[in-house]
Amino acid sequence: MTTNTTAEKDDASAEFRPEGTAAKVWEALTATPAVSVTMIAEAAGVSRPTATKALTAFAEAGRAIRTPGGRSEEGRALPDTWSPILADDARDQDGDVPPDTTADAAVTADESNEPPTAPEASDATTEDAPAPTMSLTDAMRILEQEADRRAAAEAELARAQAEEEARRQQAAETLTKARMIEDTRRALTDLLNAVTTAYAALLSDDDTAFSTGLEAIYSGTADVRKATRTTQPKTTTGWGSSRDGDRSAPRPLRPDVVAHLTKYPDLTFTANEIAKVLGRSSGAVANALDTLARNGEAELVSERPNRFRATKPQNA
């Protein structure tokens, strides 16, 4: 006797009646066949591990089949799908459907709120986790974007560094000019005081005070030159080189000291005073004065501090 195929599948589905949570999974599977575990679990209102257990039990009982998902055109891993088996070969020889105790046992752990086992978690990860793939075109595009980003970043850093160096240079120049103005004002004030003192001593015919005032004027003049000299920028063409590309050769010191003493034969000077006028170090000038005194070209007049003057001619 010929029967309708759809009717036979409905009869087989009706006779296979899992119990408990497995029944919900079976109902969702038969209602939406060829879908993933995630969709079956959502339709059944159960957790994904519970649905996986039930589907595995259905497959072992010959009531469900699992189809590998494969990969998409983009290379992504697709989830496996599940479908029910509704055929007469699921019956035994007497026409009875064997009891489905496996599915009920599989969901017992979920109903008792026990945590899923490690194999189930691994199976879930295998079904849904996409494999990280990247084409050569994507890799080249990323490299080009990174190269452009690095070039832009380097340009921005260079610009910021140049602006910072310019700001520091301007601040240094401003500070140097302010220091020059302050030092020059002090030197000019001291020089004005020395000139006033010497002028008053000249009017009062005080030779000693006048000589002291002149020495202060010489020293003050050197201080003014030294203060204004700081405004001259130092341009170098290399490490340790001057503006002309070579260091200036050291000039002899003793002739300059002798010339200064000879210019003012009636005055006495300390090494520090002469050093300020000549723009040389006081230690070098002191050594030069000692050498001149030993050679008879200068005369030590007093000590603490040592004061020197030019040697007077013998016929004077």
Side-chain angles (χ1 to χ4, degrees):
M1 180 177 179
T2 304
T3 58
N4 185 274
T5 303
T6 305
E8 290 177 355
K9 292 183 177 181
D10 293 340
D11 292 343
S13 175
E15 293 176 2
F16 182 68
R17 297 183 180 278
E19 297 180 357
T21 307
K24 298 180 181 180
V25 177
W26 176 254
E27 182 180 354
L29 177 63
T30 56
T32 55
V35 293
S36 64
V37 175
T38 302
M39 296 181 64
I40 294 174
E42 292 179 355
V46 298
S47 64
R48 194 169 180 278
T50 299
T52 302
K53 286 183 180 181
L55 291 171
T56 303
F58 297 161
E60 293 176 354
R63 292 296 184 173
I65 184 172
R66 178 177 181 176
T67 303
R71 292 186 178 275
S72 64
E73 295 180 356
E74 293 79 10
R76 294 180 51 191
L78 299 175
D80 297 348
T81 58
W82 291 83
S83 301
I85 297 178
L86 303 176
D88 291 339
D89 53 4
R91 303 171 182 269
D92 57 11
Q93 296 179 354
D94 298 333
D96 296 330
V97 178
D100 182 26
T101 57
T102 306
D104 294 338
V107 299
T108 303
D110 181 73
E111 292 178 345
S112 59
N113 296 325
E114 292 184 2
T117 59
E120 296 160 3
S122 175
D123 180 70
T125 304
T126 303
E127 290 182 1
D128 290 343
T133 58
M134 180 181 297
S135 64
L136 180 60
T137 304
D138 293 338
M140 294 299 296
R141 185 177 67 256
I142 292 175
L143 291 177
E144 291 176 359
Q145 293 175 351
E146 178 63 16
D148 294 340
R149 187 201 64 79
R150 289 185 180 183
E154 289 295 336
E156 179 63 20
L157 289 175
R159 183 193 63 78
Q161 183 176 2
E163 291 181 354
E164 178 63 17
E165 290 177 355
R167 185 192 65 80
R168 291 184 179 183
Q169 179 67 22
Q170 184 178 3
E173 292 176 356
T174 302
L175 181 61
T176 300
K177 184 176 181 180
R179 171 52 59 188
M180 182 274 298
I181 293 175
E182 180 62 24
D183 291 344
T184 303
R185 291 185 62 175
R186 292 183 180 183
L188 287 174
T189 302
D190 294 340
L191 179 60
L192 179 60
N193 182 53
V195 170
T196 304
T197 302
Y199 184 75
L202 180 63
L203 295 180
S204 62
D205 198 18
D206 188 345
D207 294 339
T208 302
F210 179 69
S211 298
T212 302
L214 287 179
E215 293 181 8
I217 291 173
Y218 302 148
S219 178
T221 303
D223 290 341
V224 172
R225 288 201 302 268
K226 182 178 179 181
T228 56
R229 196 179 301 128
T230 59
T231 60
Q232 301 297 328
K234 296 181 180 180
T235 305
T236 59
T237 58
W239 178 259
S241 61
S242 64
R243 183 172 49 211
D244 298 330
D246 191 11
R247 292 173 179 262
S248 299
R251 68 179 188 273
L253 178 59
R254 276 182 287 173
D256 292 342
V257 175
V258 172
H260 181 76
L261 294 175
T262 305
K263 186 177 181 180
Y264 307 100
D266 296 331
L267 302 179
T268 61
F269 301 94
T270 64
N272 188 42
E273 292 169 348
I274 297 177
K276 290 182 178 180
V277 174
L278 299 180
R280 307 292 288 271
S281 67
S282 59
V285 173
N287 293 333
L289 287 171
D290 291 339
T291 301
L292 293 174
R294 287 195 300 268
N295 296 339
E297 299 178 72
E299 180 181 357
L300 177 63
V301 179
S302 62
E303 298 180 353
R304 296 184 181 180
N306 293 345
R307 304 188 71 86
F308 297 84
R309 68 183 177 189
T311 302
K312 295 182 179 181
Q314 296 295 331
N315 57 0

